[in-house]
Amino acid sequence: MALLKIAEPGQSALPHQMKRAVGIDLGTTNSLVATMRGGRAEALPDLDGQVMLPSVVNYSTPGLAVVGEEARSLASQHPADTLVSVKRFMGRGREDAARDASRARYRLVEEAGMVQFLTSSGAVSPVQASGAILARLRERAEQTLGGPIDGAVITVPAYFDESQRQATKDAATVAGIKVLRLLNEPTAAAVAYGLDAAEQGVIAVYDLGGGTFDISILRLHHGVFEVLATGGDTALGGDDFDAAIAGWILEQLGNPELASGQYRQLHTLARAAKEALSDSEAVAVEVPGHRQLTLSREQFEALIQPLVKRTQRACRRCLRDAGLTPEEVENIVMVGGSTRVPLVRSAVSDLFQREPLLDIDPDQVVAVGAAIQADILVGNRPEGDLLLLDVIPLSLGIETMGGLVEKIVPRNTTIPVTRAQEFTTFKDGQTALAVHVVQGERELVDDCRSLARFELRGIPSMVAGAARILVTYQVDADGLLSVSAREETTGVESQITVKPSFGLSDEQVSTMLQSAYDSAAEDKIARQLAEYRLDAWQLLQSLEAALAADAELLNEAEREQLLEQMAGLRQQMDGDDGAAIRAATDRLGRASEDFAARRMDRSIRQALAGKALDELDPETAP
């Protein structure tokens, strides 16, 4: 009898033929690549034994991108040609990024659209620079593993929006890397510690990197991570610690004027001092051409205390958003090189009243978690495929007034997933709600794909905005979407099940994404215009109702003036000038303030009519 070689889909027929998969942490300050070797995940070093690759790219030589430590060494001589912290610019437009670029002494291409830097090699986008970093990591992995890699999991901050995530994917394409999945950094850190193996639990991920601070509260339930809340500060990180030391140095030296190159050199000295103070009580700082200074750990902690307190405030806000107390958090995972600072560690311990997990190098923990997931997704460990089964290819949302889309489940969210959001009625006495489920990345319903419609009936008759309607989107492991709407006071509920990915080819998904990318600026203007029209319509509706009920509170001239402004606002609403609509709405709002005050006075007088004084004061009541 002949025997057949049988293998799981996506796996080699021979057990020893493992696919080459890596996890990549594309960081603001440093990047690294990790893989599974000998049953454990480990970061891969370069030929000099360094696992950290500085996220720095130099373009001072036309046609040549120098990456890593060599590029960082060129920063002082070629500051405008050396791009650092480029992750901060991913997926951003020129106007949005102009201030950060100016502060970093970069020159920007004048044209509007996605930000581009002017270098000696010409215009360079953040995607190109990140692609150069990723290409260097790919080369390192291929040299270590002895062949081309079959796929990579690349981590991104939890707050990254669609354009930033897409820019990361584009950078991987530039680098010749097949992306298995984009994985949120907090989830990767939790995976690295094996916290996904527990049945359930609440985990806080405190991520203080070079350029950003993120705090995420995750709840694990049957192997699936749910992000309860995220917070942080996109302009706070180890770079700011360096800046605090650099400022102190300048102050001690009498605030001398520095050229751009000297400014970069000063920050390099400051970073070295910061790193040394994690293990030493004091460090000598010597600025070329100036006297030697001594910075103690106590002085350093005084300098950064306000910054560390900002991270604590962000943690408390995040806990409030999650509806949790610090005591309910069972594990704290520390991520990012800046968490080596003793003051940071003690602040986290004080806040959560427990010691954080520190077994894995905080610089490597995200890449390690990504490597574990990559090993699963490439097919080497199918039995471990528990955490992430699939992702939502396009955002799932709901139509709101004005034809706008409110995204409830963003694109690239891992499934299974449940997301809920509370809505309310728009009109007085509204007893039904039409739920329109849509899919896509555009801001207006007309530009997205309609998936389903259903109605929720039996809502109690209340004033507009009083009803509380919880709309829940639940996507199971097969990609089936169940949408339910429940009125919280009565418990009436309605629901529908749809297949969100049905009928969409990869080409159609790609086309929709490209359309969203190309139309981002146009969509922003269209959404703003729709919101201004909606505000204007609401004001007109409320004033019409008020005039029908209490027009006698105004004299003839006042009524005519108010009606004239209302007509003017209606006329503006027919046009496409959002600023004009908003200005007319504001004018009408101010003009109607006195009318609103008179109505309030009448309501109070009517409420108090016939009441004795002792009925109004509970302290004098019998």
Side-chain angles (χ1 to χ4, degrees), residues 148-175:
I149 60 174
D150 295 297
V153 168
I154 301 177
T155 61
V156 292
Y159 63 80
F160 256 27
D161 61 23
E162 174 52 34
S163 63
Q164 291 168 307
R165 291 171 187 265
Q166 187 59 48
T168 304
K169 282 190 170 182
D170 292 343
T173 301
V174 169

Side-chain angles (χ1 to χ4, degrees), residues 40-114:
R40 60 187 297 271
E42 60 181 48
L44 301 178
D46 61 14
L47 295 177
D48 296 324
Q50 300 296 315
V51 297
M52 307 294 292
L53 176 72
S55 300
V56 184
V57 189
N58 175 270
Y59 291 95
S60 55
T61 302
L64 177 65
V66 178
V67 180
E69 195 60 55
E70 186 182 352
R72 190 156 66 181
S73 68
L74 295 170
S76 57
Q77 294 97 345
H78 305 280
D81 290 330
T82 307
L83 306 182
V84 300
S85 300
V86 74
K87 183 176 176 178
R88 284 184 167 180
F89 298 93
M90 292 287 277
R92 297 173 65 184
R94 186 191 184 283
E95 291 184 6
D96 177 37
R99 188 184 66 175
D100 287 343
S102 175
R103 191 165 54 188
R105 313 292 177 93
Y106 295 140
R107 299 168 297 176
L108 296 184
V109 174
E110 289 297 326
E111 288 80 4
M114 301 306 287

Side-chain angles (χ1 to χ4, degrees), residues 73-331:
S73 68
L74 295 170
S76 57
Q77 294 97 345
H78 305 280
D81 290 330
T82 307
L83 306 182
V84 300
S85 300
V86 74
K87 183 176 176 178
R88 284 184 167 180
F89 298 93
M90 292 287 277
R92 297 173 65 184
R94 186 191 184 283
E95 291 184 6
D96 177 37
R99 188 184 66 175
D100 287 343
S102 175
R103 191 165 54 188
R105 313 292 177 93
Y106 295 140
R107 299 168 297 176
L108 296 184
V109 174
E110 289 297 326
E111 288 80 4
M114 301 306 287
V115 63
Q116 292 191 55
F117 307 104
L118 276 175
T119 73
S120 297
S121 294
V124 176
S125 71
V127 168
Q128 288 172 282
S130 296
I133 296 167
L134 288 171
R136 179 62 62 85
L137 294 174
R138 175 183 57 78
E139 291 167 5
R140 178 188 298 184
E142 290 176 347
Q143 288 171 359
T144 305
L145 300 178
I149 60 174
D150 295 297
V153 168
I154 301 177
T155 61
V156 292
Y159 63 80
F160 256 27
D161 61 23
E162 174 52 34
S163 63
Q164 291 168 307
R165 291 171 187 265
Q166 187 59 48
T168 304
K169 282 190 170 182
D170 292 343
T173 301
V174 169
I177 295 174
K178 176 185 176 183
V179 179
L180 299 170
R181 184 154 300 156
L182 295 181
L183 181 62
N184 283 345
E185 290 165 3
T187 303
V191 171
Y193 275 100
L195 300 179
D196 55 310
E199 274 294 303
Q200 56 189 15
V202 176
I203 302 150
V205 181
Y206 181 101
D207 185 350
L208 186 60
T212 59
F213 167 65
D214 301 300
I215 176 67
S216 302
I217 309 296
L218 313 178
R219 171 171 282 143
L220 176 67
H221 185 66
H222 296 303
V224 177
F225 282 110
E226 177 190 3
V227 179
L228 298 181
T230 61
D233 192 328
T234 58
L236 172 62
D239 293 349
D240 298 285
F241 290 4
D242 301 343
I245 296 176
W248 176 85
I249 293 172
L250 286 175
E251 186 178 337
Q252 300 303 305
L253 297 178
N255 293 307
E257 286 291 328
L258 296 180
S260 294
Q262 291 175 308
Y263 183 80
R264 290 282 183 91
Q265 190 176 28
L266 177 63
H267 273 256
T268 300
L269 289 171
R271 183 174 62 252
K274 173 191 69 178
E275 293 170 356
L277 286 170
S278 291
D279 300 310
S280 305
E281 291 299 324
V283 63
V285 181
E286 188 168 350
V287 181
H290 297 274
R291 63 187 173 90
Q292 180 175 295
L293 303 171
T294 299
L295 176 63
S296 69
R297 181 186 289 181
E298 184 179 359
Q299 289 172 306
F300 170 54
E301 291 182 346
L303 290 172
I304 66 170
Q305 184 74 45
L307 300 171
V308 176
K309 284 185 175 179
R310 278 169 59 185
T311 72
Q312 289 180 306
R313 286 196 295 271
C315 290
R316 292 190 185 96
R317 284 195 300 269
C318 194
L319 285 166
R320 282 198 300 272
D321 292 343
L324 297 171
T325 62
E327 293 76 20
E328 292 176 277
V329 176
E330 298 168 41
N331 286 292

Side-chain angles (χ1 to χ4, degrees), residues 29 62 200 244 296 305-306 344 347 371 400 403 409 417 447-448 508 525 597 607:
T29 306
Q200 56 189 15
S296 69
Q305 184 74 45
V344 171
T400 59
V409 184
V417 65
D447 297 320
C448 291
Q508 287 173 307
I525 294 172

